[in-house]
Structure formats: structure tokens, C-alpha cells
Amino acid sequence: MTIPVSPAFVCVVDWGTTSFRLWLLDREGAVLAESRSDEGMMKAAETGFAVVLQKHLAKVEAHPELPVLVCGMAGARQGWVEAPYVAVPATLAGLAQAAGKIEELPRDIRILPGVAQRDPDAPDVMRGEETQLLGLADIGAEQIICMPGTHSKWVEMREGAIHGFTTYMTGELFSVIGKHSILRHTVGDAKGGTEIPPAFLEAASRAMGNPDALTQGLFKLRAGQLLGYSEDGEGAAQLSGLLIGAEIGAALRQYRDMRAPVLISDGRLGLLYEAALKQAGLEPVIVDAGDITRAGLYTLARQIWAA
């Protein structure tokens, strides 16, 4: 197709399970306009993916012939069109070539595939995170990347390719344990802001030193509060510290030479991981999650539609 002569080059979309972010980019990757909502895969599956996308394209006044590149859960089995996984080692060119095309609309719309680790001893998948990772290709030849989230990921990259990764259900465990276990009486609401509670650091340090003792440490949260050894408001910080600390402790055992992991940071969760990594004696390199997602999508768009 011929891209119209205008400042705009492409629309890129990060379509998560519960969130939607669209950016209108120029030929240099600068943002001309953006649109965000909570119309992630779960809502779009009911409303219609095409309907949601068209609404946001109209909002940013995207030209009818402008192409769109989508990453994330729109390409999942339960999403718009399933984009099959690419096996590790996954490269920028490999992802671009495997992008699926939406046929129901006249506009050129591509959905990026996820990445699979097809190892019977360590099977794993990611969808959406690969775009952020490929935006990191210029940071160094070898990188260990920490990607906090509902399903946190630790990724090994070499020469711009994804060579292996491990997923930890840290965020989901925090939600399930805090809302649906006996600890719901202990945890309460997590605090916001930029301050890191001492209770978080203390719990994280304990878990990093002995990640295998996690289940025992969890019940101690309840017992400690009942017996007056901890404050009522410390439950959420302690639970978060135990889970994040156990994750980092496991990663330290897996990547023994790690000194300065790249931390893809976003909001309060990113601050907690940064504090815990420093508590472990590491010096994380902080990268903004939103910026790197956009950069990865732009780089992939350049692979698909030469500017």
C-alpha cells in the first residue's frame, strides 16, 4: 500500500487484557496524538475489536489509509485474531514477518505474535512484552530484563534477540492471596505514593535470603498481626515484600552474574521492584514502560512499512 504524504506514519496500539493505548506517530517516532481507555481484550471481546479500534482512530483523526500495528492480547486465542507464537530465539525481523493481518477492514492492520519458549522442562509464553524488549536492542549486547506486572517476567536478551525467559505470577498471587485467602483480614489496601515502607524492605530481604520459605512466611503475616508483633497497616507491604523478594531471590539464583538488570518500570510497582533490587545489592537500569512500548512498536512498524 502507499502511505499518504502527511506528518503521520503509523498508528501503534498496545492492547492489554484490561487496557488500550493508541499512539499516532510521525516518521521519526514522535507522538502526534494518543488515545487511552480501559477497553482491553475483555471488554473489546464484547463490544467488538473493530468497533473499539475505529473509535480511537477517529479520536486521533488517523487518515483512512494509515496502517496500524497492534501488540498484546488482541492477538491471543481469545482476542481479535490469533497471532501464533514465535519460538525463541526471537528477533525483530522474525516478529515483523510473523505479524498477522486483519482482513475484515480495508485499512492495513497487523497484529504482532507472542513469543514461546518451547522447552518441556521450562515451557513459557509472553504476549505484548516482546515489543518492549525489542525496543531495548540498543542498550547492550547482553541484558537481563526484569518486567514487573501481574505475570512478571525475567528475560535474557543477546544481540537484540530474546533467548529465554521465566514468568512469575507475583502480581496475580498478591491479588488472589490478598482478596481470597485468610490473609484478606491481614492485608487490607496497598498504599500508593513514592515512599517505600520499611515493612516491605524487611519482608523482601527475608524472602530473597530464603525464597523456598515463602508459604511459611505468608502465614507468619497473619500470626504476627494477631500476636501484636506487627502493625495493622503493614500487611499489604509485607505480602508484597515477601512475593517480590521471593521472585528476585529466584532470579538471583538463575542469573548468578547479574549486576545491573534493566528494570522496565511503571508507577508504584516499578518503585517497589527498584527498592527491592537495590536491597539485593543490584543497580537496576530504569526504563519507562510506556516509552519503551512505543519505541518497540515504532521500530517494528519501520520493519513492516519502510518509511
Side-chain angles (χ1 to χ4, degrees), residues 159-199:
E159 303 297 341
I162 302 166
H163 278 260
F165 56 98
T166 303
T167 301
Y168 297 86
M169 292 178 60
T170 306
E172 185 167 355
L173 284 173
F174 180 87
S175 177
V176 171
I177 293 170
K179 294 177 181 177
H180 304 290
S181 78
I182 193 171
L183 291 185
R184 69 185 183 277
H185 304 297
T186 303
V187 172
D189 295 327
K191 294 182 180 179
T194 59
E195 183 179 352
I196 306 299

Side-chain angles (χ1 to χ4, degrees), residues 8-24:
F9 164 56
V10 68
C11 278
V12 297
V13 178
D14 179 16
W15 212 326
T17 303
T18 59
S19 64
F20 177 98
R21 294 184 294 179
L22 177 148
W23 296 278
L24 179 66

Side-chain angles (χ1 to χ4, degrees), residues 253-265:
R253 291 188 294 177
Q254 182 174 358
Y255 306 109
R256 296 184 182 277
D257 296 329
M258 176 173 57
R259 295 292 179 268
V262 176
L263 173 63
I264 299 182
S265 181

Side-chain angles (χ1 to χ4, degrees), residues 78-275:
Q78 300 80 16
W80 192 353
V81 171
E82 184 177 6
Y85 293 106
V86 172
V88 296
T91 64
L92 182 70
L95 285 174
Q97 291 169 2
K101 192 171 183 179
I102 298 294
E103 301 293 350
E104 66 184 86
L105 296 175
R107 187 189 296 270
D108 190 354
I109 302 171
R110 311 288 178 94
I111 296 185
L112 290 168
V115 175
Q117 185 167 274
R118 300 186 185 278
D119 179 345
D121 295 323
D124 217 327
V125 294
M126 69 169 68
R127 193 177 289 279
E129 295 93 347
E130 72 287 334
T131 306
Q132 294 180 329
L133 292 167
L134 293 173
L136 291 171
D138 60 347
I139 285 185
E142 295 187 13
Q143 307 153 15
I144 301 298
I145 299 100
C146 173
M147 310 180 76
T150 303
H151 298 154
S152 299
K153 297 189 184 294
W154 288 75
V155 185
E156 181 182 2
M157 288 190 69
R158 295 198 299 272
E159 303 297 341
I162 302 166
H163 278 260
F165 56 98
T166 303
T167 301
Y168 297 86
M169 292 178 60
T170 306
E172 185 167 355
L173 284 173
F174 180 87
S175 177
V176 171
I177 293 170
K179 294 177 181 177
H180 304 290
S181 78
I182 193 171
L183 291 185
R184 69 185 183 277
H185 304 297
T186 303
V187 172
D189 295 327
K191 294 182 180 179
T194 59
E195 183 179 352
I196 306 299
F200 168 83
L201 293 175
E202 193 277 330
S205 183
R206 271 192 288 122
M208 282 186 280
N210 187 12
D212 295 328
L214 176 61
T215 53
Q216 181 188 43
L218 288 172
F219 192 77
K220 285 182 178 179
L221 300 185
R222 177 65 176 157
Q225 197 172 96
L226 287 172
L227 299 175
Y229 296 128
S230 61
E231 300 293 331
D232 287 349
E234 293 180 346
Q238 291 175 323
L239 175 59
S240 181
L242 278 177
L243 293 171
I244 291 174
E247 176 188 325
I248 293 173
L252 285 168
R253 291 188 294 177
Q254 182 174 358
Y255 306 109
R256 296 184 182 277
D257 296 329
M258 176 173 57
R259 295 292 179 268
V262 176
L263 173 63
I264 299 182
S265 181
D266 186 19
R268 173 69 175 172
L269 186 60
L271 293 175
L272 292 175
Y273 271 80
E274 180 182 356

